[in-house]
Amino acid sequence: PVMTLDVSDDSQLIASGSADKNVRLWSTQFGNCLRSLKAHNESVMQVRFLPGTRYLATAGRDHMLKLWDCDSYEVISTLAGHATEILAMALSQDAAFIITAGNDKQIRMWKRTQEQLFLSEERAKELEDQFEQEVEREDLQATSAPRPSRRTVESVRTTERLMEVLDEAKAAEEQLEADGVDPQSIAEVGQGARHPCARAIAYINTLNSNNIYEVLLALPFSHAVLLLKVILRFFEAVSALQGGEGAQARSKALSAAATLQTPCQAALIAAYVHHSELASSNCRPVLLRL
């Protein structure tokens, strides 16, 4: 339900606050909702336009008083002081100060200053405060954190083993190149089992829907790149098989295609988890080829 509303001095806007934690701005000319703002973490109890401005003050059950710019739809300032919900709010005629009353039996006066306010600095301060609160929460949770489950321990061990397999595949491929052997030619002559990527793909296919996301979520970015390169070489090898002729070639192609599902899923998860790092690195050609 709507808990409060107010009309701007120019009669162009109506602001309403409701129990769904939102503040909505309405046009008096057409009656349409211009913007819905996620204003508070609890019910919005009071909304008041500052006289002669398009600024809106809101108060809620989350103990917070906020000031909004109704032209840019941005919060300008968040003021904390009440220990409980704010139940009433009033403004002076010159908008020089705001009076609030809360369930904590306190009446507070908030005075406007002439100090210049930069929204970027306010956002940075809010993010810093939020980060500090999350760190404090994590510290409290760490004292009573449950013991790792068997599933979590197994996922970590599987991730570590996957990293070892990827390192072994990389070392084997480098050794083949040092010996003057093209790793791709091994797959082309039908000796795919010797291909450096074959063992890594075989291990990837041991992952299942119950653990693949947890395993790849713990995989470092450097090894995620190795994983994508291994899967890319495997796809290229399968593509080469599908181009062959004869019953034996078709049989090999079908057998290889049957193992594509898990590598495809692994590639998608790795790209999703590390999408920001991949976008800013030199790995774009690998993603495009995939």
Side-chain angles (χ1 to χ4, degrees):
V2 174
M3 310 294 290
T4 177
L5 57 85
D6 194 27
V7 182
S8 61
D9 276 2
D10 58 5
S11 300
Q12 297 296 310
L13 291 176
I14 296 176
S16 63
S18 54
D20 62 1
K21 311 171 189 177
N22 292 325
V23 168
R24 289 180 172 81
L25 299 174
W26 307 82
S27 169
T28 56
Q29 292 183 339
F30 302 102
N32 60 308
C33 180
L34 299 174
R35 183 63 66 95
S36 178
L37 306 172
K38 178 67 168 62
H40 291 268
N41 294 326
E42 298 292 342
S43 301
V44 181
M45 302 302 295
Q46 295 289 330
V47 294
R48 292 289 183 275
F49 281 101
L50 273 64
T53 72
R54 299 288 287 262
Y55 296 142
L56 179 72
T58 66
R61 287 188 180 274
D62 59 356
H63 319 165
M64 296 296 177
L65 173 66
K66 295 186 179 183
L67 188 63
W68 300 80
D69 185 340
C70 292
D71 290 324
S72 63
Y73 307 114
E74 289 187 336
V75 61
I76 298 173
S77 185
T78 301
L79 304 172
H82 284 279
T84 59
E85 61 265 30
I86 299 174
L87 301 176
M89 178 170 60
L91 285 74
S92 62
Q93 289 295 326
D94 58 358
F97 58 86
I98 302 173
I99 303 293
T100 57
N103 202 30
D104 54 0
K105 304 177 182 179
Q106 293 184 358
I107 295 178
R108 289 181 173 267
M109 184 175 74
W110 311 83
K111 186 176 181 181
R112 293 180 66 188
T113 66
Q114 300 301 319
E115 182 180 354
Q116 193 171 7
L117 186 67
F118 296 95
L119 289 181
S120 59
E121 294 180 359
E122 288 293 306
R123 297 294 86 76
K125 183 180 178 182
E126 289 178 6
L127 290 174
E128 185 177 345
D129 292 342
Q130 183 179 356
F131 177 74
E132 291 178 354
Q133 292 174 3
E134 290 177 355
V135 170
E136 290 177 0
R137 257 196 319 269
E138 289 175 359
D139 290 341
L140 290 174
Q141 292 174 357
T143 59
S144 58
R147 295 178 61 186
S149 65
R150 182 177 178 181
R151 179 178 175 182
T152 303
V153 173
E154 289 178 352
S155 297
V156 172
R157 289 176 180 170
T158 305
T159 302
E160 292 174 349
R161 180 56 188 151
L162 177 60
M163 292 168 61
E164 293 174 2
V165 170
L166 292 171
D167 288 335
E168 291 169 2
K170 180 182 179 183
E173 188 166 352
E174 290 174 349
Q175 183 61 45
L176 286 173
E177 292 176 354
D179 295 339
V181 179
D182 183 6
Q184 186 63 30
S185 66
I186 297 175
E188 290 175 356
V189 298
Q191 299 174 0
R194 288 180 49 202
H195 194 283
C197 297
R199 189 176 179 187
I201 292 297
Y203 189 79
I204 291 170
N205 276 312
T206 64
L207 304 177
N208 55 59
S209 59
N210 293 326
N211 66 355
I212 187 170
Y213 187 81
E214 292 181 1
V215 169
L216 296 182
L217 188 63
L219 196 67
F221 174 65
S222 58
H223 284 80
V225 173
L226 282 179
L227 174 72
L228 291 174
K229 290 180 178 179
V230 164
I231 294 174
L232 172 61
R233 294 189 186 97
F234 172 65
F235 288 168
E236 290 174 341
V238 173
S239 179
L241 286 174
Q242 291 176 345
E245 296 180 357
Q248 186 178 2
R250 286 194 296 271
S251 176
K252 288 182 178 180
L254 290 173
S255 177
T259 63
L260 286 175
Q261 181 176 353
T262 304
C264 284
Q265 189 177 3
L268 289 172
I269 294 173
Y272 173 76
V273 171
H274 298 282
H275 66 276
S276 57
E277 295 96 330
L278 290 168
S280 60
S281 67
N282 57 354
C283 298
R284 290 186 180 181
V286 175
L287 294 176
L288 291 175
R289 288 165 65 190
L290 276 170

